[in-house]
Amino acid sequence: MYQHSKNIVTAGLPVENAKSALIMIHGRGASAESMVPLSSYLDTRDMAVFAPQASRHSWYPTSFIAPVEENQPALDSALEIINELVQDIIKAGIPAEQIYFLGFSQGACLTLEYVTRNAMKYGGVIAFTGGLIGEEIAMENYRGNFEQTTILITTGDPDAHVPLKRVKESAAIMEKMNGKMHVVVYPVKQHTITNEEIDVANQLFFSADVNQV
């Protein structure tokens, strides 16, 4: 088992000049560098972009629906890296309600797990194919109030790695915690990020109309 070191790739505006921040969390076998170019397809012109890098290119060793102990201590270490990054961004002057999260696959699961354990008003949450982590969902881990944070979860039906049942269970929990949920299910979608998903994310989070509200 392994611990993660704090290794953050940055892009976009310098944090001291930015109005908001986007945390991009990569999937298994990928890298922070591979996530950053995705931000060019989103309207992130006023944002500082942060992409943490997992040790060994994986946030935890086995499936997200395996017993949690099989993914420890890597999972706790990954959550701590994300928490440290969030605190660093807040200390730099960007409040939590202007912090956005975007993750894919394993990174989407980690994203949802982090924000639901630390629910508050965020800028927004984008989970491209993911759900809450654990063989069983441990409700005692989740606390706080999303205060109507917009949360997008997309997935395919079926998906080889993420059961639709877990996506729906996760969305229901987050909705009870006052998340403004958008769940989009695509039939026969490959396990990747599609143009359609990027379009939905732009419409919900990054369009000029949204940012003027």
Side-chain angles (χ1 to χ4, degrees), residues 8-56:
I8 312 293
V9 174
T10 59
L13 290 182
V15 66
E16 60 270 16
N17 298 335
K19 297 178 181 177
S20 56
L22 174 63
I23 297 174
M24 307 185 76
I25 305 179
H26 69 77
R28 188 188 302 274
S31 67
E33 287 87 354
S34 72
M35 281 298 284
V36 167
L38 180 62
S39 66
S40 66
Y41 295 92
L42 306 167
D43 186 358
T44 57
R45 70 190 78 180
D46 294 325
M47 305 182 86
V49 177
F50 300 87
Q53 173 64 54
S55 300
R56 306 183 192 176

Side-chain angles (χ1 to χ4, degrees), residues 42 104 126-129 152-156 184 186 189-190 192-203:
L42 306 167
F104 168 63
I126 302 164
F128 291 136
T129 314
L152 170 65
I153 308 177
T154 65
T155 194
V184 184
Y186 299 90
K189 184 181 85 69
Q190 293 197 343
T192 186
I193 301 172
T194 65
N195 290 332
E196 288 87 352
E197 289 169 287
I198 292 169
D199 288 345
V200 171
N202 269 321
Q203 289 163 14

Side-chain angles (χ1 to χ4, degrees), residues 1-14:
M1 292 298 197
Y2 48 88
Q3 302 286 116
H4 299 284
S5 57
K6 195 173 179 183
N7 181 7
I8 312 293
V9 174
T10 59
L13 290 182

Side-chain angles (χ1 to χ4, degrees), residues 25-171:
I25 305 179
H26 69 77
R28 188 188 302 274
S31 67
E33 287 87 354
S34 72
M35 281 298 284
V36 167
L38 180 62
S39 66
S40 66
Y41 295 92
L42 306 167
D43 186 358
T44 57
R45 70 190 78 180
D46 294 325
M47 305 182 86
V49 177
F50 300 87
Q53 173 64 54
S55 300
R56 306 183 192 176
H57 298 277
S58 182
W59 293 109
Y60 44 84
T62 187
S63 167
F64 86 109
I65 50 175
V68 167
E69 56 269 22
E70 294 182 15
N71 280 317
Q72 295 293 18
L75 174 58
D76 280 351
S77 176
L79 290 166
E80 182 56 33
I81 290 292
I82 304 306
N83 189 60
E84 287 182 16
L85 176 56
V86 169
Q87 297 310 313
D88 288 347
I89 293 169
I90 291 171
K91 287 175 186 172
I94 295 177
E97 59 263 30
Q98 291 298 327
I99 298 176
Y100 295 76
F101 296 82
L102 185 155
F104 168 63
S105 191
Q106 191 188 60
C109 297
L110 184 61
T111 294
L112 294 176
E113 189 70 18
Y114 175 78
V115 299
T116 311
R117 289 185 182 215
N118 302 276
M120 63 182 75
K121 179 67 172 177
Y122 295 112
V125 179
I126 302 164
F128 291 136
T129 314
L132 293 171
I133 294 172
E135 183 179 33
E136 303 292 335
I137 291 178
M139 292 299 299
E140 64 271 16
N141 288 336
Y142 307 126
R143 58 186 60 87
N145 186 327
F146 282 114
E147 298 179 37
Q148 285 292 288
T149 297
T150 299
I151 301 167
L152 170 65
I153 308 177
T154 65
T155 194
D157 181 25
D159 181 85
H161 304 283
V162 179
L164 181 59
K165 180 174 182 284
R166 176 55 59 91
V167 171
K168 291 181 175 179
E169 289 171 344
S170 303

